[in-house]
Amino acid sequence: MTTPDRYAPLSKFLAAVKGKYKLPILIYLKHGPKRYSQVYRRLAGVSERILSKQLRELEQEGILLKTVTGTKAPLRVEYALTAHGFTLCAVVQQMWEWGERTLEKEAAQG
Amino acid sequence: MTTPDRYAPLSKFLAAVKGKYKLPILIYLKHGPKRYSQVYRRLAGVSERILSKQLRELEQEGILLKTVTGTKAPLRVEYALTAHGFTLCAVVQQMWEWGERTLEKEAAQG
DNA sequence: CAGTATCCGTTTTGATACTG
DNA sequence: CAGTATCAAAACGGATACTG
């Protein structure tokens, strides 16, 4: 941001959700933990490089918890929202609802 | 977004705030209408090309109202939040507060 | 004053082949 | 299955000169 200090809280939020697929990932994981391959299939179109990068970032921010089961292939890796992740989803919900209201307004008028 | 339909409301929101300076612009204009040059000086570091582009987009989305006074130089151009812009600011406030809580948590622990 | 036009660098994402 | 490595493409913003 222009001045890191002045907008620090906002920058923190924006950093947390920065990336084309992070919000869809969060929304998908609201319904419960999912495996890597499930997320991959859900987000039709994402490349593996981008998906694994954005999952890693969400994990490092404490928004997702990654759980690995098994030590040799085939691995089972699950991603789940943390408590902090759920608080983020609540804000995403507000963003969603603003978009809904805006679309409705546009449909009503032109 | 991956599937325009599935995430349409979210995409609408994200499109509205997309751009490095749009949120700072909104926050600045919460305190009342401002002239182009005032916004320009406030956002230290923005280029004129980017600023005018983002102001124009916000205007086209119905978030800002642009008012021009005078027909010959020097022009007086003012930007103000619309009612719809204020509803957007309320969501931005939620984003801000999530960032605040997150920063506090990080400061408390590590 | 309030922009637009042009050119360029950086950041972000995409496609695909490969690995434990 | 769950990724990483490499290379290429696209999106986005920065600098600056110019205009009504």
Side-chain angles (χ1 to χ4, degrees):
Chain A
M1 204 60 53
T2 50
T3 318
D5 315 314
R6 166 171 281 162
Y7 301 105
L10 198 51
S11 299
K12 187 71 187 173
F13 177 92
L14 294 173
V17 302
K18 192 173 84 181
K20 188 169 171 181
Y21 299 95
K22 283 199 188 146
L23 294 183
I25 290 169
L26 295 181
I27 290 171
Y28 184 42
L29 294 180
K30 277 170 80 172
H31 309 302
K34 303 291 175 190
R35 299 182 62 172
Y36 175 87
S37 54
Q38 292 180 295
V39 181
Y40 181 66
R41 281 191 296 272
R42 176 75 170 197
L43 273 50
V46 68
S47 74
E48 303 175 73
R49 189 179 79 84
I50 296 299
L51 176 59
S52 89
K53 179 170 173 286
Q54 304 203 350
L55 285 169
R56 195 184 324 124
E57 287 170 2
L58 286 168
E59 184 198 356
Q60 286 169 353
E61 298 257 5
I63 293 161
L64 296 187
L65 180 68
K66 174 181 176 177
T67 308
V68 183
T69 307
T71 56
K72 57 193 67 165
L75 261 45
R76 180 190 180 85
V77 178
E78 266 194 358
Y79 293 91
L81 286 175
T82 63
H84 190 225
F86 277 104
T87 68
L88 179 53
C89 282
V91 181
V92 175
Q93 180 65 24
Q94 300 302 308
M95 295 161 60
W96 184 285
E97 288 172 10
W98 185 91
E100 261 180 353
R101 293 196 301 272
T102 302
L103 290 171
E104 282 165 16
K105 251 175 77 173
E106 287 179 0
Q109 318 173 15
Chain B
M1 203 60 53
T2 51
T3 318
D5 314 314
R6 166 170 280 160
Y7 301 105
L10 197 51
S11 299
K12 187 72 188 172
F13 178 91
L14 293 173
V17 302
K18 193 171 85 181
K20 188 169 173 182
Y21 299 95
K22 284 200 188 146
L23 295 183
I25 290 169
L26 294 182
I27 290 171
Y28 184 41
L29 294 181
K30 277 170 80 172
H31 308 302
K34 303 291 174 190
R35 299 182 62 169
Y36 175 88
S37 55
Q38 292 180 294
V39 180
Y40 181 67
R41 281 190 295 273
R42 176 75 171 196
L43 273 49
V46 68
S47 73
E48 303 174 75
R49 187 178 77 87
I50 295 298
L51 177 58
S52 88
K53 179 170 173 286
Q54 304 203 350
L55 285 169
R56 194 184 326 124
E57 287 170 2
L58 287 169
E59 184 197 357
Q60 285 169 354
E61 299 257 6
I63 293 161
L64 296 188
L65 181 69
K66 175 180 175 177
T67 308
V68 183
T69 307
T71 55
K72 55 193 68 165
L75 260 46
R76 180 189 179 86
V77 178
E78 265 193 358
Y79 293 92
L81 286 176
T82 62
H84 191 225
F86 277 104
T87 69
L88 178 54
C89 282
V91 181
V92 175
Q93 179 66 23
Q94 299 302 307
M95 295 161 61
W96 184 285
E97 287 172 11
W98 185 90
E100 260 180 353
R101 294 196 301 273
T102 302
L103 290 171
E104 281 164 16
K105 250 175 77 172
E106 287 179 1
Q109 319 172 15

